[in-house]
Amino acid sequence: MTRKPTFLPWFIIPATFTALGLVVAMFAVMQFSVRAYIPGSLDVGGFTLANFNGLFKKIYADAFINTVLLSAKTAIFGLLMSYPLAYALVRTRTTWIKSTLLIIAITPLFLGEVVRTYSWIIVLGNSGFLNSVLLAIGIIHKPIQFMFTQTGVVVALVHVTMPIMVMMLATALSHINPDYEKAATSLGAGPIRTLLTVTIPLSLPGIVSSLTTAFAWTFSAFATPQLIGGGRVSTVATMVYQLGFSSMNFPFAAALSIAGLLLTILLLMVLKRMSRFLHAIGEH
């Protein structure tokens, strides 16, 4: 008779309580989203759907569009930066190089998002490291405005998402048999053609997974858009903050949160359908 492990409940019980807490919190947000806002008071009024009608105003529609574009740019540029690093991490045979690449890839995970964001403020400021170097070597004659722009926000968000993307891509690449690449080379394919026709197609599952994770993560990002964007780069998360903690309009902030969650789920469903097609390509 097989005996069940006695330690299993110690893993299940905390997870169950955490899940219940998340469900309760979600129901609280949903309840706030259909309550009327009372100006000047933290109390809410009766049930109403007016909060969702207000989401169609241009300022909030622009926030949704900016969030989608920001998430897409971060995912794409993160992939372009992470794939070579992941490939080198998997394919290198030198121990110290592999260790160095691994440290470079995962070190940002040991720093909080706020700390990393403040570091980028020092780098991207008009008197920051990047502009100082470009001015010193004569490439530019006046500082480039990185702060309070979408470009600066994307740069910082790519740095935030890269460690996870590198790990996911490295996992996918490690499952590719190097003999496939050697076979392509023996048939006359050069390094670039081998990469485009063998390595990338076989690593498509990891590419899709990393893009989806980076997109979903960026969609809900708050600290980086708020600090680097300085209120000039509007996203769903920053709008929720402004409505909830600046205007105290918690019902409308809740409605905006629910709309953002639904949009995220919809976009992830679209990406999932695309991933099935790409997985089929990768298998062939």
Side-chain angles (χ1 to χ4, degrees):
M1 183 176 180
T2 304
R3 186 177 180 182
K4 294 182 179 180
T6 56
F7 61 86
L8 191 60
W10 295 101
F11 289 94
I12 296 177
I13 293 174
T16 302
F17 279 111
T18 301
L20 287 175
L22 292 174
V23 170
V24 171
M26 183 59 63
F27 272 109
V29 173
M30 293 178 65
Q31 186 266 141
F32 262 94
S33 67
V34 292
R35 302 294 291 272
Y37 168 57
I38 300 177
S41 174
L42 294 178
D43 295 328
V44 294
F47 289 95
T48 178
L49 295 178
N51 295 320
F52 291 97
N53 293 332
L55 296 176
F56 294 98
K57 293 181 180 180
K58 186 177 185 303
I59 184 174
Y60 304 115
D62 289 343
F64 278 104
I65 295 173
N66 285 338
T67 305
V68 173
L69 292 177
L70 197 66
S71 301
K73 290 178 181 178
T74 302
I76 293 171
F77 285 112
L79 176 64
L80 294 177
M81 296 290 291
S82 302
Y83 198 94
L85 185 58
Y87 185 85
L89 180 63
V90 172
R91 289 292 183 259
T92 184
R93 291 292 177 265
T94 307
T95 304
W96 71 268
I97 295 179
K98 185 183 288 289
S99 300
T100 302
L101 292 175
L102 184 61
I103 291 173
I104 293 173
I106 67 173
T107 295
L109 292 176
F110 295 98
L111 300 174
E113 184 178 356
V114 175
V115 175
R116 281 179 282 180
T117 301
Y118 273 113
S119 300
W120 277 108
I121 292 176
I122 297 173
V123 174
L124 299 176
N126 288 343
S127 301
F129 175 78
L130 183 58
N131 274 312
S132 298
V133 171
L134 294 177
L135 287 169
I137 61 181
I139 294 180
I140 60 175
H141 301 289
K142 62 178 182 179
I144 300 174
Q145 184 67 37
F146 292 112
M147 289 293 296
F148 315 130
T149 64
Q150 194 173 100
T151 300
V153 174
V154 170
V155 170
L157 285 174
V158 167
H159 179 241
V160 171
T161 56
M162 270 190 67
I164 299 299
M165 296 188 76
V166 169
M167 293 297 101
M168 296 180 74
L169 290 169
T171 302
L173 288 168
S174 65
H175 286 85
I176 300 176
N177 192 333
D179 291 339
Y180 294 150
E181 297 174 344
K182 294 178 181 178
T185 302
S186 65
L187 293 173
I192 296 179
R193 188 174 181 181
T194 300
L195 178 68
L196 295 177
T197 60
V198 177
T199 309
I200 291 180
L202 291 176
S203 62
L204 277 176
I207 292 174
V208 173
S209 299
S210 63
L211 285 173
T212 304
T213 302
F215 185 92
W217 196 341
T218 306
F219 199 96
S220 60
F222 165 72
T224 302
Q226 179 69 15
L227 295 174
I228 301 294
R232 299 182 187 179
V233 180
S234 61
T235 64
V236 174
T238 58
M239 293 297 294
V240 169
Y241 171 80
Q242 293 170 12
L243 288 166
F245 295 95
S246 297
S247 304
M248 297 299 174
N249 190 348
F250 290 107
F252 193 79
L256 190 61
S257 300
I258 295 297
L261 177 62
L262 293 176
L263 180 59
T264 304
I265 294 174
L266 177 62
L267 291 172
L268 290 179
M269 289 175 62
V270 173
L271 289 173
K272 185 177 180 180
R273 287 185 175 274
M274 292 176 58
S275 68
R276 292 176 181 175
F277 173 73
L278 293 176
H279 276 244
I281 295 177
E283 292 175 355
H284 292 84

